[in-house]
Amino acid sequence: MSCSTTHDFYLGRGPDAEWLGSVHLGSGASSGIEDITRARSAGGFAVLVDFFLHTAEVEQAGEVTHRGDEWPWPWPTSHGTDYVHAFDTGAVFTARRTERWSARAGEYFPPGPGDVPLVFPYRRATCGYTGLDAADTIFRRYGPLLGATHRHDVSQLGLRILTDLTAPAGPGTPGELDELRAQLPPHLRYAVTADDTAMELEFEVFGYRDGDPAAERTAQALSMLPALYGWTDPAGGPPRFTVRALIADGERHTTHPGLADPRTRAVLTAY
């Protein structure tokens, strides 16, 4: 299933590359990217990028930012962007988020000692993610569902996740969210406690009989939430938030006041 993607465009690679614009494309709206990757000159690449961005804007295929506008992303460099396209040394190179430059004029080439490092110019002095400085974020891997929740505190994030897990899926639902929901039986109910101090969401899951082996699979699926709605740091830095998943035992099904009504799908408390 296709989902929305972010793209940045540059002339050149490295910290002195010239930014030409960016776009957050809607689900399935990727026509025109292949034409850009076949450019054979810097001028032709710039013209194709400009035409593509204007077309996407007119056709409302995505959120477009032109060269000269304010940097659109909360992350400070293109390390947080899904796809970066750059014309350099006579060809177009493309890098997926946090990966190497791997496509040259639409063709794969193997890694080698002459690889250009994945380094981008800083487009903003600080990171838009709450509580983090730019220097701490350029190597982080950002979750595909982070999106508009990047400024949420833990309580707001908990409400958003509960909505995503329990409300009917709408058009354009990201594929990653569909995959997560597919692992969670629809009869389940959730009590979530948000701890702003510990940056933790505790999920208590209702709907399983004691000892049900499927409960462990649900707890494992919920443990993936920080990677989907936050960031991970290979260097061992703190995540955006952590998750603790608990499976309610038989007694809790009758004593939890917020979930006494089986029509209640989810509740949130905070402290």
Side-chain angles (χ1 to χ4, degrees):
M1 178 178 291
S2 59
C3 59
S4 63
T5 55
T6 54
H7 299 256
D8 293 332
F9 303 91
Y10 290 92
L11 284 178
R13 291 179 290 171
D16 298 321
E18 179 184 356
W19 176 58
L20 299 180
S22 302
V23 63
H24 187 173
L25 289 176
S27 177
S30 60
S31 61
I33 294 290
E34 290 187 7
D35 291 338
I36 292 174
T37 63
R38 289 193 288 266
R40 292 297 183 268
S41 68
F45 177 79
V47 168
L48 287 172
V49 169
D50 187 63
F51 178 77
F52 172 74
L53 293 178
H54 278 93
T55 300
E57 193 170 38
V58 170
E59 296 180 353
Q60 298 183 337
E63 301 174 21
V64 173
T65 305
H66 296 282
R67 172 170 42 186
D69 293 341
E70 185 178 351
W71 180 248
W73 315 126
W75 46 89
T77 78
S78 290
H79 282 92
T81 303
D82 293 324
Y83 294 92
V84 183
H85 313 275
F87 189 89
D88 189 30
T89 61
V92 178
F93 293 78
T94 298
R96 296 185 64 177
R97 180 170 43 182
T98 74
E99 297 180 2
R100 58 184 288 269
W101 295 109
S102 61
R104 178 174 56 202
E107 299 178 2
Y108 171 81
F109 66 102
D115 282 0
V116 174
L118 201 64
V119 177
F120 301 106
Y122 275 88
R123 299 300 307 175
R124 54 184 294 166
T126 60
C127 183
Y129 295 116
T130 304
L132 293 176
D133 296 326
D136 297 326
T137 62
I138 58 175
F139 295 111
R140 281 203 165 99
R141 297 178 183 271
Y142 298 98
L145 300 181
L146 188 60
T149 72
H150 69 272
R151 296 188 185 277
H152 286 6
D153 59 27
V154 177
S155 297
Q156 293 171 317
L157 183 61
L159 286 172
R160 172 59 182 267
I161 291 175
L162 284 179
T163 300
D164 286 346
L165 296 184
T166 61
T173 301
E176 293 86 355
L177 181 55
D178 281 336
E179 292 175 11
L180 175 62
R181 290 166 61 105
Q183 301 178 62
L184 303 172
H187 73 278
L188 297 179
R189 293 172 285 164
Y190 306 91
V192 178
T193 301
D195 186 341
D196 288 309
T197 301
M199 298 296 289
E200 180 187 73
L201 290 175
E202 180 187 273
F203 282 78
E204 188 174 14
V205 183
F206 292 76
Y208 285 116
R209 295 178 180 271
D210 291 348
D212 191 329
E216 184 175 347
R217 293 194 295 271
T218 291
Q220 185 174 3
L222 293 174
S223 72
M224 298 301 297
L225 289 171
L228 295 175
Y229 288 87
W231 52 75
T232 55
D233 187 347
R240 182 189 187 192
F241 68 103
T242 59
V243 160
R244 189 149 50 112
L246 308 174
I247 306 301
D249 58 24
E251 183 180 356
R252 285 287 283 162
H253 282 262
T254 58
T255 60
H256 194 294
L259 292 176
D261 186 343
R263 293 172 297 179
T264 302
R265 306 305 309 161
V267 296
L268 175 88
T269 59
Y271 66 88

